[in-house]
Structures are given as structure tokens and as C-alpha cells.
């Protein structure tokens, strides 16, 4: 649902997931699922420009003081979301957070965090009109995203590159359209598949 832009419905289901989790006994798996919910809800609210709510869910996750030690991947995700939620108003603080998440992504060689950090730094420098630095980070993000088939982030990177590199705007716009069309075709096929399953189940 999050990937299909059904944000309000996604929020509803994630909140339902919290209600279900609260009925389970405490365990390492329960804590992991709770963290995943915090990450997803923070991402949705950030996408909707509800940055205050996004930070609220991040703060809840950081109530676990051992989070960095116990789950470095979710810690990195949450730090990236936090930096993006504050970079327009707290410039220096955002940069220090991005420096940390870049180091985390590289140290564990985890492509999603590497891409998120490079992409968001590119967006950060584009916002502050430093297109040279923006291009450096965005090109690296595109390379890692393409190599690891992280297509949603590759789409965002292509759109930003068309703005940060006007001389190649047409090229990046065409690549964006090609990739977006391919992803829409996959999405339609997935919806058709679920529709058939639902119909056959009713039958």
C-alpha cells in the first residue's frame, strides 16, 4: 500500500498492527516488528509532509537506548528519516546525521541505507543550490540503486538529477519515464493477480 501511494489506508493497517503487537508477549521478534512499524509510519508521514508526526515515531523508536547496538539497520533507517525531516530548518544537525548514516551504510555494506543517505544528501544540497555536490551524491545513489534494483529510489534520483543537471535534463527525464512505465506495468500485473485470487476465492 505504501508503494502504491495508498497512504491513509497504509497508516490504518500499521496502527492495526500495533494493536495486534500489544497483545503479544515481549520478545526480540516483537521488538523488531515494532521498529519496522515505526520506520514505515515515519516514512508515510514524511511523505505527506507531516514532519512533526514523523519525528514523533522516530523518537518512540529511540526510546530503546540500545537500538544502535541491537539493530543497526533500523537505527540507520530512522536516522535518515530524522535528517530529512529536519534538514530544511536545522541545516548543521542534518549534515551530522547524514555523515553518521553514510558511515553506517558503508560499514555494514547495506545498499538501502547507502542509497537513502546518498539520495537525501543530494536532495539536501540541491535545496541549498549546491548542484556540484548534489550531482556527486545523486549519481552515486543512482548507481547503487540500479545495481541493487531499488527502483523507487532510482526513480527519485532520476527526477532530482534532471533538476540538478539541466544540460542532461532530457536524458534523465527519458530514463525516468522508461523506468516508471516498467514499474507501472509490474504494479498493474500485481493488482490483476490479486483480483484473480480474490475472485477465485469468492467462487
Amino acid at each position: 500500500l505504501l508503494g502504491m501511494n495508498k497512504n491513509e489506508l497504509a497508516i490504518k493497517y500499521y496502527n492495526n498492527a500495533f494493536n495486534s503487537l500489544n497483545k503479544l508477549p515481549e520478545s526480540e521478534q516483537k521488538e523488531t516488528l515494532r521498529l519496522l512499524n515505526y520506520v514505515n509510519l515515519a516514512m508515510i508521514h514524511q511523505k505527506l509532509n507531516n514532519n512533526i508526526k514523523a519525528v514523533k515515531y522516530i523518537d518512540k523508536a529511540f526510546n530503546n537506548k540500545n537500538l544502535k547496538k541491537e539493530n543497526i539497520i533500523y537505527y540507520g533507517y530512522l536516522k535518515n528519516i530524522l535528517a530529512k525531516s529536519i534538514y530544511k530548518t536545522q541545516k548543521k544537525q542534518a549534515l551530522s546525521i547524514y555523515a553518521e548514516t553514510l558511515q553506517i551504510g558503508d560499514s555494514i555494506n547495506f545498499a538501502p541505507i547507502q542509497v537513502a543517505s546518498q539520495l537525501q544528501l543530494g536532495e539536501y544540497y540541491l535545496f541549498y543550490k549546491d548542484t556540484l555536490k548534489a550531482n556527486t551524491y545523486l549519481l552515486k545513489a543512482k548507481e547503487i540503486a540500479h545495481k541493487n534494483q531499488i527502483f523507487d529510489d532510482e526513480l527519485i534520483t532520476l527526477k532530482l538529477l534532471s533538476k540538478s543537471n539541466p544540460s542532461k535534463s532530457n536524458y534523465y527525464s527519458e530514463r525516468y519515464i522508461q523506468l516508471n512505465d516498467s514499474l507501472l506495468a509490474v504494479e498493474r500485473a500485481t493488482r490483476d493477480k490479486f483480483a484473480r485470487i480474490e475472485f477465485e476465492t469468492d467462487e
Side-chain angles (χ1 to χ4, degrees):
L1 293 172
L2 178 57
M4 294 181 180
N5 289 317
K6 297 184 182 296
N7 299 305
E8 297 302 327
L9 191 55
I11 289 171
K12 175 184 174 181
Y13 282 122
Y14 286 132
N15 284 327
N16 287 343
F18 272 128
N19 293 333
S20 298
L21 281 171
N22 289 335
K23 298 175 184 177
L24 299 175
E26 292 298 324
S27 66
E28 184 176 334
Q29 183 181 19
K30 178 180 178 179
E31 180 61 19
T32 299
L33 291 171
R34 184 186 289 123
L35 285 171
L36 180 59
N37 252 22
Y38 285 140
V39 169
N40 287 327
L41 280 164
M43 287 176 64
I44 293 173
H45 285 296
Q46 186 179 82
K47 188 176 181 182
L48 295 171
N49 289 319
N50 297 330
N51 289 304
I52 293 176
K53 284 189 176 181
V55 172
K56 181 186 78 171
Y57 285 110
I58 295 166
D59 287 342
K60 284 185 177 182
F62 285 151
N63 282 336
N64 179 353
K65 303 302 181 184
N66 297 317
L67 177 59
K68 185 175 182 179
K69 181 179 178 181
E70 294 174 355
N71 203 317
I72 189 68
I73 289 176
Y74 285 128
Y75 178 88
Y77 274 133
L78 287 160
K79 279 285 187 174
N80 266 331
I81 299 167
L82 176 62
K84 187 172 182 180
S85 289
I86 68 174
Y87 81 81
K88 292 182 181 179
T89 56
Q90 301 178 51
K91 183 177 178 181
K92 291 183 178 178
Q93 185 181 349
L95 272 180
S96 66
I97 296 172
Y98 282 134
E100 181 183 8
T101 59
L102 273 175
Q103 189 276 328
I104 289 171
D106 291 341
S107 67
I108 61 176
N109 195 29
F110 189 65
I113 290 179
Q114 289 174 316
V115 172
S117 300
Q118 300 280 355
L119 169 57
Q120 290 180 27
L121 270 165
E123 188 176 3
Y124 171 95
Y125 281 112
L126 184 59
F127 180 81
Y128 287 107
K129 313 297 183 187
D130 190 337
T131 54
L132 184 61
K133 284 186 177 179
N135 277 326
T136 299
Y137 287 111
L138 291 172
L139 287 169
K140 186 65 176 177
K142 184 175 80 69
E143 175 189 339
I144 300 172
H146 186 76
K147 180 180 178 181
N148 292 275
Q149 299 185 343
I150 308 174
F151 297 125
D152 286 344
D153 282 346
E154 186 177 359
L155 272 178
I156 297 170
T157 306
L158 288 167
K159 180 177 284 189
L160 292 174
L161 278 166
S162 71
K163 297 177 182 178
S164 66
N165 199 337
S167 64
K168 293 187 176 180
S169 178
N170 288 339
Y171 168 76
Y172 289 122
S173 295
E174 288 174 6
R175 287 289 301 121
Y176 176 93
I177 292 169
Q178 290 170 2
L179 179 57
N180 190 54
D181 287 347
S182 297
L183 294 177
L184 286 174
V186 172
E187 183 181 323
R188 282 194 295 270
T190 302
R191 283 203 304 265
D192 290 345
K193 178 181 178 181
F194 280 117
R196 288 197 302 274
I197 291 172
E198 184 177 4
F199 175 76
E200 290 168 2
T201 301
D202 289 341
E203 287 295 296

